Structure formats: structure tokens, C-alpha cells
């Protein structure tokens, strides 16, 4: 999230100076730089030594306002941030940042399902909502709506869509199924895409394109912002399903 030329040692030094600000914003409890915590954010699937991709700290904001304040502080101190939604991007580095002197911005505390609309078939989610969370909530409500997780349900809807991941139903292209994002920009400002850009819009999760240029793709596999809300279209249960999982009852047991 920082435009400065990359210098790992300099960024590590900057990070030390930024820590008191991060602690003041999110609270001591939600900023960690002890070895054990950092180690749990390593790239366990990497062939490199664990130390190579260890973050300098982990910051866990609990609200959009805290994300904005953390991003502003990171700008002041010139410290790069690596946002994760559920941090389960295994086989692609997991939750680990790619560069020394980077802080992980862990969004798992922001895990509310803000809306499930059974008439228009969508959900509005915070980044920390996992596929399993959403699946369980849809089953609890006894809806006919489905999530479309990546092969394993361990990851999150927002992180997977932002990485342009895929599931295996007709709604499996998770980025294609996203409709409307809220984003904290690198200067800390908040922006909504699509119809969300219009005041009092009631169709944010129904019409992706809004007015003017369509820019949502800019925030996928990129470092142009931290996504703090996302709409996702959900598939209606089809009349018939032919799958070994449903036959065995396994699909309902998770
Ligand atoms: C055995 C196995 C099978 C797998 N099968 C599949 C599969 O079928 N389909 C598939 O798609 N993947 C698959 N994966 C990869 C991976 O597990 C999933 O894609 C998983 O959903 C990604 O983790 P996540 O959702 O927690 O994303 P995260 O780790 O949270 O994030 C993914 C990426 O998006 C960025 N990002 C996350 N949140 C934000 C945010 N709020 N703002 C800005 N940037 C953000 C992160 O920096 C990161 O680069 C598989 C992995 C394994 C090991």
C-alpha cells in the first residue's frame, strides 16, 4: 500500500516506529509482533526458509474506520501492508506477505454477514466471512441459496473473489459473481463501486456496472486498496443435483 521504492531493512525500521500508532488505533491486543504469532503467518507452503516471508507485525482492525486509520498511519511511516481476508491462500503463499518489513493487515475480526437477500439472491459480506460461515448461515435460515466455495471451504468469499478464485457450480467464477465493493484506498479514503457510489442506492448488489467506467477489476490481485465489504451473487438450488457428495450426505455434514 506504499509507493516508496522497496527497501526491506528500511521498511523494518519504519515499522518499529509505526507500532505505537497501530496499537493506539486498534488496541494493544490486536497488534502482535511476537515470534509465535508471526510464525503462524508464515508461508508454510513455500520451499524457502520460513524467515523469508515472515511479516514484521500483524494488525487486526475491527472496523472500517480502524482500517482507514491504519492505512493512514502506514502512509505516514512508509510501512507496506499486506491485507488478508481469511488468510487461507494455501499453495499461493498462505497469509504471508511477499516482502520483508511488511505488516499483515488481518481482517478476520471483520466477519459479519451484513445481509442475505433471498428475493434477489445475494449476500453482502465483510472480508472475514468464510465459505463455511456463509454456508452454515444459509442452511440455518433454510434458504434455497448456495455458496460456491473453492474446492476446500476453508477460505473466504472476499479473499477468494479478489484473487479471482474458482468454485465448481455455474456461479464458480467468484469474481464474476461479486457485485459491489467498498474499498479503503491507499490514502485512507473510502470508496464504493457500482451502484454503491450513488447516495441511498438500493441496488448496490444488483447491478455491477453503475454509471461510468467499471473499475472493480483494479482491486483484484492488486495493491490499490483494502476491500472492506463485498456483495456476492448466490446460486438458487437447482431442481436436481448429481454429485457423489450429495448422495453420501457429506455435503450437509460440514
Ligand atoms: C488442496 C487445495 C485446493 C485448493 N482448491 C482451490 C480451488 O478449487 N479454487 C480456488 O480458487 N482456490 C483453491 N485453493 C487455493 C486457496 O486455498 C483458496 O483460493 C482460498 O479460498 C484462498 O484463501 P482466502 O479465501 O483465505 O484468501 P486470502 O488469503 O484472504 O486472500 C487471497 C489474496 O487476496 C488478497 N486479499 C485478501 N483480502 C483482501 C482485501 N480485503 N483487500 C485487498 N486484498 C485482499 C490477499 O492479499 C491475497 O493475495 C486450493 C488450495 C489448496 C491447498
Amino acid at each position: 500500500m506504499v509507493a516508496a521504492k522497496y527497501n526491506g531493512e528500511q521498511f523494518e525500521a519504519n515499522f518499529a516506529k509505526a507500532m505505537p500508532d497501530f496499537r493506539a488505533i486498534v488496541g494493544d491486543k490486536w497488534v502482535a509482533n511476537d515470534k509465535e504469532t508471526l510464525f503462524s503467518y508464515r508461508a508454510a507452503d513455500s520451499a524457502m526458509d520460513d524467515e523469508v516471508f515472515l511479516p514484521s507485525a500483524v494488525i487486526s482492525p475491527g472496523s472500517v474506520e480502524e482500517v482507514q486509520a491504519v492505512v493512514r498511519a502506514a502512509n505516514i511511516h512508509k510501512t507496506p501492508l499486506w491485507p488478508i481476508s481469511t488468510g487461507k491462500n494455501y499453495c499461493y503463499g498462505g497469509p504471508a506477505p511477499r516482502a520483508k518489513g511488511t505488516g499483515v493487515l488481518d481482517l478476520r475480526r471483520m466477519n459479519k454477514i451484513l445481509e442475505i437477500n433471498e428475493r434477489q439472491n445475494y449476500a453482502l459480506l465483510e472480508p472475514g466471512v468464510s465459505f463455511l460461515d456463509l454456508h452454515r448461515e444459509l442452511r440455518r435460515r433454510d434458504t434455497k441459496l448456495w455458496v460456491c466455495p473453492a474446492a476446500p471451504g476453508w477460505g473466504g468469499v472476499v479473499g477468494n473473489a479478489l484473487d479471482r478464485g474458482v468454485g465448481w457450480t455455474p456461479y464458480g467464477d467468484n469474481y464474476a459473481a461479486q457485485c459491489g465493493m467498498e474499498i479503503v484506498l491507499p490514502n485512507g479514503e473510502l470508496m464504493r463501486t457500482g451502484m454503491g457510489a450513488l447516495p441511498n442506492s438500493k441496488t448496490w448488489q444488483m447491478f455491477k456496472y453503475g454509471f461510468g467506467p467499471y473499475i472493480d477489476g483494479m482491486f483484484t490481485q492488486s495493491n490499490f486498496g483494502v476491500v472492506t465489504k463485498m456483495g456476492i451473487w448466490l446460486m438458487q438450488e437447482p431442481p436436481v443435483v448429481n454429485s457423489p457428495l450429495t448422495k453420501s450426505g457429506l455435503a450437509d455434514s460440514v
Side-chain angles (χ1 to χ4, degrees):
M1 301 295 303
V2 106
K5 195 162 174 241
Y6 176 67
N7 176 337
E9 270 69 43
Q10 182 62 54
F11 283 154
E12 277 193 325
N14 292 354
F15 223 96
K17 291 189 201 138
M19 287 296 270
D21 285 5
F22 293 143
R23 289 189 198 284
I25 294 163
V26 298
D28 281 349
K29 190 174 158 195
W30 300 112
V31 180
N33 62 352
D34 60 284
K35 260 252 136 91
E36 196 183 335
T37 306
L38 297 186
F39 199 68
S40 68
Y41 288 78
R42 72 194 182 281
D45 49 20
S46 164
M48 312 281 276
D49 280 349
D50 285 333
E51 304 290 328
V52 176
F53 296 121
L54 275 193
S56 290
V58 178
I59 305 144
S60 305
S63 67
V64 176
E65 293 74 22
E66 287 184 4
V67 174
Q68 291 180 275
V70 167
V71 168
R72 288 193 183 109
N75 268 314
I76 291 168
H77 295 285
K78 304 220 175 312
T79 52
L81 296 172
W82 179 266
I84 58 167
S85 283
T86 54
K88 301 279 199 301
N89 209 11
Y90 299 131
C91 287
Y92 304 95
R98 297 294 88 191
K100 227 176 157 56
T102 301
V104 169
L105 189 66
D106 184 341
L107 302 169
R108 278 182 293 184
R109 283 177 69 208
M110 296 169 62
N111 60 358
K112 288 193 218 55
I113 297 172
L114 299 165
E115 184 186 355
I116 290 176
N117 189 312
E118 293 179 46
R119 234 163 78 93
Q120 303 292 347
N121 302 351
Y122 68 77
L124 178 64
L125 306 173
E126 288 190 330
V129 176
S130 73
F131 287 112
L132 284 173
D133 296 334
L134 184 56
H135 168 75
R136 287 187 181 119
E137 181 57 18
L138 291 170
R139 298 293 71 81
R140 191 187 70 75
R141 295 183 186 208
D142 203 21
T143 74
K144 296 281 183 206
L145 297 174
W146 279 13
V147 294
C148 189
W154 56 33
V157 184
V158 174
N160 186 270
L162 290 175
D163 216 16
R164 302 199 291 266
V166 289
W168 305 102
T169 75
Y171 280 45
D173 177 343
N174 276 309
Y175 172 67
Q178 84 78 26
C179 186
M181 297 185 201
E182 179 185 84
I183 303 135
V184 174
L185 297 173
N187 63 359
E189 274 177 33
L190 201 62
M191 187 186 97
R192 288 185 173 182
T193 65
M195 296 306 281
L198 275 89
N200 306 319
S201 166
K202 301 231 181 321
T203 52
W204 188 18
Q205 272 63 62
M206 287 177 229
F207 182 55
K208 298 179 180 205
Y209 302 125
F211 297 96
Y214 174 73
I215 57 168
D216 297 41
M218 244 178 72
F219 302 99
T220 63
Q221 296 194 358
S222 86
N223 59 354
F224 292 124
V226 180
V227 176
T228 47
K229 288 185 185 66
M230 182 186 280
I232 190 95
W233 289 344
L234 301 170
M235 183 174 145
Q236 274 280 349
E237 183 183 283
V240 180
V241 179
N242 186 4
S243 143
L245 281 183
T246 45
K247 276 181 201 149
S248 67
L250 241 181
D252 291 326
S253 65
V254 283

